[in-house]
Amino acid sequence: MNSQSVIQFFDKILNDLYQSVYLFLGGSLDDQTLNWAERGLSLAATMIKILILLSLIGFVYWLLVYCVKHTQRFLHVSHRGMRIVRAVLRYVWFVTSLIAVMMQIGFHADTVKATAKAAAWAGFYYVLWATSGRMLSGVLKHYELNASIEQLLKNMILVVVLVLVFASVLAQFGFDIVSLVAGLGIVGLAVGFAAQSTLANFIAGITILIEQSFQVGDWIRLGDKEGRVVKISLRATQILDRDNIIIIIPNSTVSSSEVVNLTSKKMIRFDVKARIALEADISQARSIIVKLLSKDEVVLKHPAPMATVSEVGEYGVYFIVRFWVAPVSVARIPIIKENITEKIKRALDEAGIKAPYPHMRLIMPDDGLQIIKPTPAVGTDDGIEENIELAERKN
């Protein structure tokens, strides 16, 4: 390829670009000569008309905003309502400006008309979404449903509104919405089969949020796991156990298992066990235990704690000590029960009431061992000990 051919090649490219710019500015292919002066004047006139139209539209928008702002007190419109009105006015201003520009730069009338209809549908769905959110908040507040359900329903409404907006806008430009929806349905069915476990957790999460068997902050027991609920999402529920470990449980597992809510009421009852000797005074021991619990800061005064005899055994009298605590103390229940058991032991020891342990005597005769039936005795309960006595019968 010689230099002449290269020059001709680039000349052709520049000429095509030259004509493309001319056509873009409103020129015609029928023109024998490119009249740039005429095109420049036409473009300048168009720009001036666009600026005038945008200025007029902007002035009307400013005037409407000014009127709405100064009539808010008289109309008793809330702050949220004012935000919606101003958002609608901004949207109308933008759409009107866009249509004005499209009309001046030569868009086809059908395209302008379709754009106006699509914008009207989009604005209608925005107002619908904004007002439905406010109505939804009022309904949920009336039925005392938590914020998680409100956010979930708002997200679902937003998705539905977006789908309707998408379909309405495409319909105005001649797209076949029925075929598109059918295709999306097939895709959704395929995705549903591929993500069955995820959908199961999603549906279970919605059920948990609607039923409100437990909420964030409740202390629950699920099988061998126990902890405070810190988050309920659409996929899983997170609980924080006593070891400060986050346990993430799929919602499908939660919904199909037995869940014990320990903090659903204002108080919860627990119990510990105590034991005294058979010959000890039951009334005195009960009085000591109840007095001790009534002074404990964690134990509620109403209902009052109680100590009842659950069993009179072979080696002592067994008490079951019941007391009530507030939900905030449930996380410390193991330590609370251990401290109460220790305090009961010390209080009974100070009162001279000992805990029994098995006592066995073994007598060694000349002709062999004779086992005597175990008898109750009083002593320390550091562990079950055996006192063995060896006696030798005299001849």
Side-chain angles (χ1 to χ4, degrees), residues 327-348:
V328 70
S329 303
V330 172
R332 299 176 50 246
I333 275 301
I335 298 178
I336 293 173
K337 294 173 72 173
E338 293 165 2
N339 291 337
I340 288 178
T341 302
E342 181 179 349
K343 291 178 181 179
I344 290 175
K345 172 64 171 62
R346 290 181 178 179
L348 292 177

Side-chain angles (χ1 to χ4, degrees), residues 15 19 56 79-80 86 110 134 156 182 194 208 216 278 281 285 304 345:
N15 185 51
Q19 292 184 358
L56 290 175
H79 180 68
R80 178 180 174 84
R86 297 191 65 173
D110 293 338
R134 185 177 181 181
M156 294 177 65
I208 292 172
V216 173
L278 285 171
D281 189 339
K345 172 64 171 62

Side-chain angles (χ1 to χ4, degrees), residues 27-231:
S28 174
L29 292 175
D30 298 332
D31 297 341
Q32 298 297 326
T33 59
L34 303 184
N35 192 343
W36 285 99
E38 182 182 351
R39 290 297 96 207
L41 291 175
S42 176
L43 179 61
T46 302
M47 294 299 297
I48 292 173
K49 287 190 289 184
I50 290 175
L51 289 176
I52 293 174
L53 286 175
L54 292 180
S55 300
L56 290 175
I57 295 172
F59 174 76
V60 173
Y61 166 72
W62 174 83
L63 183 62
L64 291 175
V65 171
Y66 179 83
C67 294
V68 169
K69 183 178 180 180
H70 286 78
T71 57
Q72 179 180 1
R73 295 181 179 179
F74 300 101
L75 298 177
H76 301 287
V77 181
S78 64
H79 180 68
R80 178 180 174 84
M82 284 297 301
R83 289 176 57 187
I84 295 176
V85 171
R86 297 191 65 173
V88 171
L89 290 177
R90 282 195 300 268
Y91 181 74
V92 172
W93 166 75
F94 172 77
V95 172
T96 306
S97 301
L98 178 62
I99 292 175
V101 172
M102 292 176 64
M103 293 176 62
Q104 293 302 317
I105 62 178
F107 274 83
H108 196 274
D110 293 338
T111 304
V112 177
K113 185 177 180 181
T115 303
K117 289 183 178 180
W121 277 109
F124 168 75
Y125 284 120
Y126 169 77
V127 175
L128 179 64
W129 173 74
T131 54
S132 64
R134 185 177 181 181
M135 294 174 59
L136 180 64
S137 300
V139 172
L140 295 179
K141 185 177 180 180
H142 176 74
Y143 289 100
E144 298 182 352
L145 299 177
N146 58 27
S148 300
I149 300 179
E150 180 178 356
Q151 188 61 44
L152 171 64
L153 294 179
K154 284 185 177 180
N155 292 338
M156 294 177 65
I157 292 175
L158 178 60
V159 171
V160 173
V161 169
L162 289 177
V163 171
L164 292 176
V165 170
F166 183 71
S168 300
V169 170
L170 291 181
Q172 302 307 317
F173 291 96
F175 288 90
D176 189 358
I177 303 302
V178 177
S179 301
L180 181 62
V181 171
L184 292 176
I186 295 174
V187 173
L189 186 62
V191 173
F193 278 111
Q196 294 184 19
S197 60
T198 303
L199 290 176
N201 290 325
F202 178 82
I203 296 173
I206 295 176
T207 304
I208 292 172
L209 291 173
I210 293 177
E211 290 184 349
Q212 297 190 87
S213 301
F214 57 86
Q215 302 179 11
V216 173
D218 287 345
W219 191 276
I220 65 172
R221 183 185 298 134
L222 181 63
D224 58 345
K225 299 177 178 61
E226 184 175 322
R228 188 179 306 279
V229 180
V230 294
K231 184 178 181 181

